[in-house]
């Protein structure tokens, strides 16, 4: 009896979407496949795992963008995902966009594998910070690293993938 009471209490405290999963199939501007970014909802945020190839070696800006579209060109993905209208960059004095993420790094073979955790977004459909809002969201990888400053400057968009539920 005590165990069932404890389990019921634990179930009430945590988000009901824990374990929900999504994926973005990343493509180049020419439409060639470049890999995937998977997203898994945890009790305190979302774990994003990138496995992407065909990048230039070195650091690349890695962001969630505000529109779930990559065509006709990657500008269709809009600006960074910012449901609470915070400023750009980790170093912004008033906080960062929910879509601002750490840079990822491609090795000499052009492959980038990274795990990034963010508590700024959710996969829950009805939450203010859901990547599944009315127009969806996309993952963008940029040519250059993000400066983390108030002014965006990560260069061209070299990979895009619409976030879709698994």
């Amino acid at each position: 009896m005590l165990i069932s009471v404890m389990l019921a209490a634990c179930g009430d405290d945590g988000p009901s979407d824990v374990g929900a999963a999504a994926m973005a199939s990343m493509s180049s501007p020419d439409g060639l496949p470049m890999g995937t970014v998977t997203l898994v909802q945890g009790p305190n945020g979302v774990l994003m795992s990138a496995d992407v190839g065909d990048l230039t070696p070195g650091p690349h800006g890695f962001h969630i963008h505000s529109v779930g579209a990559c065509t006709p060109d990657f500008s269709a993905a809009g600006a960074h995902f910012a449901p609470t209208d915070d400023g750009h960059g980790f170093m912004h004095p008033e906080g960062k966009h929910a879509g601002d993420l750490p840079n990822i790094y491609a090795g000499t073979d052009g492959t980038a594998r990274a795990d990034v955790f963010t508590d700024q977004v959710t996969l829950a459909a009805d939450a203010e910070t859901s990547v599944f809002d009315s127009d969806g969201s996309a993952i963008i990888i940029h040519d250059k690293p993000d400066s983390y400053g108030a002014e965006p400057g990560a260069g061209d968009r070299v990979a895009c993938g619409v976030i879709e539920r698994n």
Side-chain angles (χ1 to χ4, degrees), residues 50 57 74 84 107 146 153 165:
F74 293 170
T84 57
D146 192 309
R165 291 190 184 280

Side-chain angles (χ1 to χ4, degrees), residues 22-28 32-40 47-55 62 104 110-116 138-141 159-164 166:
M23 184 174 71
S25 295
M26 305 301 292
S27 297
S28 71
L32 299 174
M34 294 180 70
T36 59
V37 176
T38 58
L39 298 88
V40 177
L47 178 63
M48 301 174 63
S49 297
D51 188 358
V52 183
D54 296 323
L55 295 169
F62 182 62
I104 61 172
T111 299
R113 290 186 180 89
D115 287 333
V116 174
I139 304 292
I140 293 284
I141 298 174
C160 183
V162 174
I163 301 172
E164 297 178 346
N166 282 356

Side-chain angles (χ1 to χ4, degrees), residues 21 53 72 126 128-129 134-135 137 142 146 154:
D126 57 352
E128 177 184 20
T129 60
S134 63
D135 58 0
S137 302
H142 294 269
D146 192 309

Side-chain angles (χ1 to χ4, degrees), residues 9-153:
C10 289
D12 290 342
D13 292 339
S16 62
D17 55 338
V18 170
M23 184 174 71
S25 295
M26 305 301 292
S27 297
S28 71
D30 297 331
L32 299 174
M34 294 180 70
T36 59
V37 176
T38 58
L39 298 88
V40 177
Q41 179 70 53
N44 299 305
V46 173
L47 178 63
M48 301 174 63
S49 297
D51 188 358
V52 183
D54 296 323
L55 295 169
T56 57
H60 295 271
F62 182 62
H63 305 111
I64 301 170
H65 280 246
S66 62
V67 180
C70 293
T71 56
D73 60 36
F74 293 170
S75 67
H80 292 179
F81 182 66
T84 57
D85 294 323
D86 290 324
H88 175 272
F90 287 110
M91 303 307 286
H92 195 284
E94 295 174 17
K96 66 180 188 67
H97 293 319
D100 287 335
L101 301 169
N103 293 323
I104 61 172
Y105 293 82
T108 56
D109 66 351
T111 299
R113 290 186 180 89
D115 287 333
V116 174
F117 178 82
T118 178
D119 62 0
Q120 302 292 304
V121 303
T122 183
L123 303 183
D126 57 352
E128 177 184 20
T129 60
S130 176
V131 298
F132 297 114
D133 60 6
S134 63
D135 58 0
S137 302
I139 304 292
I140 293 284
I141 298 174
H142 294 269
D143 183 44
K144 298 178 184 175
D146 192 309
S147 68
Y148 299 138
E151 293 298 320

